[in-house]
Amino acid sequence: MPAQTLGQSVPFWRSLQSKFILSYGAIVIALLIFLNTYPILISQNLVFQSKKDSLWRQADIITSTLAGAGGLTPEGVEGNLNQLGVTAKLGVAGVDRVLVTDPGGLVLYDTSEVDNARDRYALLWEVVSALRGNDVFRSEFREKAFHSWAAAPIIYRGMTQGAVYLYECDSSQAEVLLDFQKNLRNVSLVVCVLALPLSVLFSTAVTRRIAVLLRGIRTVREGEYSHRVSVSGRDELSRLANEFNELTGRLQVTEEVRRRFVSDASHELKTPLASIRLLSDSILQTKHIDSETVQEFVADIGSEAERLTRITEKLLTLTRMDTAPPQNLTPVDLKAVVLRAEHMLSPLARAGNVQLKLNLAEQCLVLATQDDLYQVAFNLMENAVKYNLPGGSVMVKLSLRRGRGREERDRVVLLVEDTGMGIPEEDMPKIFDRFYRVDKARSRAAGGTGLGLSIVRDTVRQHGGSVEVRRRVPEGTCFQVEFPRWQEGRKGGRP
Ligand code: ADP
């Protein structure tokens, strides 16, 4: 079953699933090898150790019985061993062969029936080593039995009088061990048989969830931003899916905003262009047109062109703000900026019979550029004049608000209130959107573009401030802008 990547399918041998299966397989095999060897080796060693102890104990008893002043003779050895309970047929308890030699290696006594070495020289290295004064033990597991050999010198007053050689073949313990080995092998087989389908099942479950995620990513990549993935569980994969959904949600919003912006912008640019086209066509197509009408049409063309310029300039300002962080910031006194805006707006206010009232505090310094702050103050004050009523007024108040505690910085607060027509409650959340206008016709008539408040909001945010709009009681609108106040010695201008 091929797993899918973003573009093409991954061959099975390179897929996550095969890697999972391989790694589970490797772990299971390593565990089984360990299970099948380690306990067996330990048990073997335990048996060897117990054999060593018992054979040496036997050898010790025999050597201390045989050691004596008179030296070793075949009859003496046999007599002594008979007393110990060693019989020629059965040997000593549990021991299959007992062999005794003189100091030269000549066999004086041997219980073996098959290759009895009596009266011959024992050519066994264990005997040779024992005659040199060493205790010897050797054991091995072969042909379904434990074979153990032990040899010890017979020493009397520092003299080696001969050697005792014992051999034991134990198949009963070997049988137990072989049974144990067989059981372990059977258990391993069952584990293998179970582990393989289980690892396939588990890896399929994991990779299937990854495949869901991959499919989701591909769908979103193809432009379907409304697509959401659903991955079950509460592990990292489901969290990844949630993060992905969150990201897609944001992408969807951004994409919608972008689309709306492009369509709004083209629509806004199309309207004045259509007017220009219409006016110029009228001039060209009307025969004997009088110069007064031409003058009038050309003036209209001029004002439409001006409108186009205003829109493009504002669009450029917004794009610049989207792409570049503010630069060349200096502490700017907002009071001077508001006064400049008032100066520029007084002809418009006079024409609309609107009174501008200012109440400006000193030392309202903000880390920004003159132009940015001017944009904010001018746009808000211009709106307050534009959307006012004859005889109305605009109140601009600039004040300082002390920060509470050491952590909170002082704020510069700019209030622009008017006694105008107000903004309906339902439009308030949207008026900062690009191209949004409550009353399109009035905005257009007043030379508005629907971009002023977007520029205000973006500029204020860029400088760490905030802007709010609320209804003014009893009538009109109130915009409140706050900036962190620039203070000597405090780093930066942002909170
Ligand atoms: P415009 O260029 O149309 O003025 P803005 O972005 O500055 O665009 O304002 C968006 C809309 O918000 C305006 O078209 C107007 O309908 C409304 N508006 C803004 N300020 C005021 C105000 N002080 N009083 C009433 N309406 C306002």
Side-chain angles (χ1 to χ4, degrees):
M1 71 199 86
Q4 298 285 310
T5 60
L6 273 182
Q8 74 267 35
S9 66
V10 179
F12 180 71
W13 56 272
R14 267 168 62 186
S15 70
L16 255 185
Q17 190 175 18
S18 70
K19 282 175 191 156
F20 274 135
I21 295 174
L22 271 180
S23 41
Y24 295 143
I27 291 171
V28 168
I29 286 171
L31 268 176
L32 292 181
I33 289 175
F34 179 75
L35 196 75
N36 276 274
T37 51
Y38 187 68
I40 302 285
L41 284 176
I42 291 287
S43 319
Q44 266 187 16
N45 279 342
L46 282 175
V47 173
F48 288 158
Q49 189 59 44
S50 85
K51 294 288 168 212
K52 187 177 180 180
D53 290 346
S54 85
L55 279 188
W56 267 352
R57 210 172 33 248
Q58 314 261 27
D60 202 31
I61 295 170
I62 295 173
T63 52
S64 49
T65 308
L66 295 181
L72 299 179
T73 60
E75 296 73 26
V77 171
E78 194 165 346
N80 278 329
L81 291 184
N82 280 348
Q83 269 178 12
L84 270 179
V86 179
T87 64
K89 274 198 175 158
L90 298 171
V92 73
V95 178
D96 292 279
R97 186 179 184 185
V98 179
L99 184 146
V100 180
T101 71
D102 70 359
L106 184 69
V107 177
L108 303 174
Y109 181 82
D110 188 359
T111 59
S112 172
E113 284 185 346
V114 187
D115 49 352
N116 197 298
R118 187 153 175 182
D119 299 328
R120 282 188 279 138
Y121 283 95
L123 299 170
L124 300 160
W125 74 265
E126 290 90 352
V127 173
V128 175
S129 183
L131 286 174
R132 283 192 193 132
N134 304 315
D135 285 339
V136 183
F137 175 79
R138 180 165 71 89
S139 194
E140 61 187 48
F141 178 69
R142 67 175 152 80
E143 289 157 14
K144 297 182 181 174
F146 282 104
H147 301 268
S148 313
W149 296 265
I154 303 167
I155 295 171
Y156 183 70
R157 292 193 176 157
M159 292 281 291
T160 303
Q161 293 185 315
V164 172
Y165 168 89
L166 305 175
Y167 163 72
E168 189 200 292
C169 172
D170 182 352
S171 54
S172 63
Q173 292 220 40
E175 212 172 296
V176 173
L177 193 78
L178 285 171
D179 266 1
F180 179 49
Q181 205 169 12
K182 205 166 106 194
N183 286 343
L184 279 180
R185 209 174 300 133
N186 290 344
V187 168
S188 308
L189 224 78
V190 172
V191 170
C192 261
V193 168
L194 285 179
L196 191 75
L198 275 179
S199 69
V200 172
L201 265 179
F202 181 71
S203 58
T204 312
V206 174
T207 46
R208 192 180 298 142
R209 294 161 78 220
I210 294 176
V212 170
L213 258 175
L214 280 175
R215 267 200 304 279
I217 292 173
R218 206 175 319 128
T219 312
V220 171
R221 192 192 57 179
E222 274 155 21
E224 213 180 292
Y225 296 108
S226 58
H227 183 79
R228 296 289 179 272
V229 291
S230 149
V231 172
S232 55
R234 286 174 169 201
D235 55 6
E236 287 89 338
L237 275 182
S238 62
R239 283 179 63 185
L240 191 68
N242 289 343
E243 291 287 331
F244 171 73
N245 285 341
E246 187 113 330
L247 192 75
T248 315
R250 288 198 191 171
L251 214 65
Q252 191 180 9
V253 171
T254 315
E255 181 59 15
E256 268 163 26
V257 169
R258 189 190 67 81
R259 273 196 199 144
R260 193 154 18 98
F261 178 69
V262 170
S263 105
D264 287 352
S266 11
H267 181 77
E268 291 296 326
L269 294 172
K270 214 171 71 186
T271 317
L273 279 174
S275 305
I276 292 175
R277 181 93 197 269
L278 197 75
L279 288 163
S280 55
D281 279 357
S282 305
I283 296 172
L284 287 173
Q285 282 162 15
T286 315
K287 285 182 187 153
H288 314 301
I289 188 164
D290 60 287
S291 66
E292 216 169 284
T293 317
V294 172
Q295 282 255 322
E296 200 182 308
F297 280 13
V298 171
D300 286 347
I301 289 174
S303 73
E304 289 300 324
E306 225 171 79
R307 195 171 140 64
L308 270 178
T309 313
R310 265 200 311 279
I311 295 175
T312 41
E313 268 173 3
K314 290 198 170 175
L315 280 175
L316 276 174
T317 308
L318 279 168
T319 320
R320 213 175 31 241
M321 271 193 281
D322 280 347
T323 49
Q327 279 171 350
N328 305 327
L329 304 182
T330 50
V332 179
D333 188 355
L334 199 50
K335 180 179 176 181
V337 173
V338 173
L339 285 172
R340 184 150 73 96
E342 185 238 10
H343 179 71
M344 293 301 286
L345 283 168
S346 38
L348 185 69
R350 257 197 310 278
N353 191 19
V354 174
Q355 218 189 333
L356 276 165
K357 299 175 186 167
L358 307 186
N359 174 8
L360 309 176
E362 304 289 333
Q363 286 300 305
C364 291
L365 298 173
V366 177
L367 192 68
T369 63
Q370 284 269 358
D371 284 352
D372 283 351
L373 292 187
Y374 182 75
Q375 293 255 38
V376 173
F378 184 86
N379 275 321
L380 293 177
M381 288 164 68
E382 189 196 26
N383 280 351
V385 173
K386 265 189 331 194
Y387 303 109
N388 218 313
L389 300 167
S393 47
V394 173
M395 287 72 69
V396 184
K397 188 177 171 206
L398 190 59
S399 60
L400 277 175
R401 205 183 61 223
R402 296 274 165 216
R404 276 158 297 177
R406 277 184 140 264
E407 289 307 304
E408 203 190 2
R409 165 187 288 276
D410 293 353
R411 315 279 290 176
V412 170
V413 183
L414 173 69
L415 267 181
V416 180
E417 291 184 70
D418 64 67
T419 56
M421 62 193 63
I423 300 170
E425 207 70 50
E426 66 271 17
D427 288 303
M428 282 207 179
K430 297 182 236 162
I431 55 163
F432 292 101
D433 291 352
R434 294 173 184 190
F435 296 113
Y436 190 82
R437 281 165 285 191
V438 179
D439 182 346
K440 257 192 168 174
R442 187 176 171 125
S443 160
R444 199 179 290 273
T449 58
L451 293 171
L453 287 181
S454 303
I455 292 176
V456 169
R457 185 196 50 193
D458 290 7
T459 314
V460 168
R461 280 190 186 163
Q462 267 203 334
H463 295 293
S466 60
V467 56
E468 278 171 18
V469 59
R470 56 177 178 264
R471 223 163 65 83
R472 182 181 171 273
V473 183
E475 81 270 282
T477 315
C478 172
F479 282 89
Q480 177 170 336
V481 176
E482 285 192 25
F483 286 109
R485 182 187 179 209
W486 181 85
Q487 280 163 286
E488 188 92 64
R490 271 190 96 146
K491 220 171 161 250
R494 312 222 174 135

